[in-house]
Amino acid sequence: MNLLVNGDAEKGPGGTAEPVGSVVGWKVRKGAPALVGYDVGDGYPTPGDPGPGGEAGARFFSGGNSPVTVLVQETVLPASGATGHRAVDAGRVRYVLSGWLGGYAGQEDGVRLSVEFRDRAGTPLALSVLGPVGAAERGHATALLERSAEAAVPPGARSAFVQLSFTRSGGGTSNDGYADGISLRLTASGRHS
């Protein structure tokens, strides 16, 4: 189960390249994100470009028209069950952070996805960072490539702070960092003897 709300950019206003004031499930910390439709064209990713393909919904996240756009989401970890606090503290819970990250043609605009696990007091315990996916990695094509990180949830973790940071590196007004299919999942690992 994905712990994140609206990791696929499908909910709320959007569908064009125009920035939106709010994003369902996410806090806009900086900038002006856009939830762009795969049918917009005009150089934006289309269903025919490398990306999530059949897994994709109708829209993806973009940095809009701000030099830096930051979206954040904090989720509380389950208190009980196979991935609850006792299992976390015993080192028996793993996480997978994943997403499709990319950009436009030969430009270096990009997006970084990170998760920071925090204890009950909000103190950071561990950090994983994915991206950005540069132009060379994309073959200088407009594309979204899948990236993921997996590790143990640190003992004492009670929440996960997820951040999408879109950065425009070149000229122009569009921040062409793109993201879709953002996911944070927990799994219970076997007992250690």
Side-chain angles (χ1 to χ4, degrees):
M1 182 182 93
N2 189 356
L3 295 179
L4 302 178
V5 175
N6 198 25
D8 55 7
E10 297 300 307
K11 295 183 177 83
T16 70
E18 291 302 310
V20 295
S22 64
V23 179
V24 171
W26 300 82
K27 288 188 176 110
V28 180
R29 275 279 164 87
K30 190 172 191 176
L35 307 184
V36 183
Y38 281 103
D39 60 354
V40 167
D42 200 26
Y44 286 101
T46 68
D49 291 318
E55 296 174 31
R59 309 188 308 192
F60 59 91
F61 297 99
S62 136
N65 57 13
S66 303
V68 176
T69 293
V70 179
L71 298 176
V72 298
Q73 187 171 152
E74 187 158 17
T75 183
V76 176
L77 301 185
S80 59
T83 58
H85 295 171
R86 287 175 60 185
V88 165
D89 294 348
R92 294 196 312 263
V93 179
R94 297 186 67 75
Y95 71 90
V96 176
L97 176 70
S98 63
W100 291 83
L101 310 176
Y104 173 73
Q107 293 184 2
E108 291 296 341
D109 296 5
V111 58
R112 201 174 67 237
L113 168 63
S114 63
V115 61
E116 180 180 87
F117 287 93
R118 297 175 174 178
D119 68 13
R120 184 173 278 113
T123 305
L125 301 174
L127 175 71
S128 280
V129 180
L130 300 173
V133 174
E137 291 176 85
R138 293 183 273 106
H140 298 276
T142 298
L144 287 90
L145 303 180
E146 191 171 25
R147 294 290 183 259
S148 66
E150 180 182 348
V153 176
R158 295 297 180 260
S159 66
F161 184 81
V162 175
Q163 180 167 300
L164 277 170
S165 300
F166 302 83
T167 303
R168 182 173 70 216
S169 64
T173 55
S174 282
N175 179 336
D176 291 307
Y178 308 136
D180 201 358
I182 307 304
S183 170
L184 177 64
R185 298 175 192 278
L186 303 182
T187 56
S189 57
R191 292 183 185 271
H192 299 288
S193 52

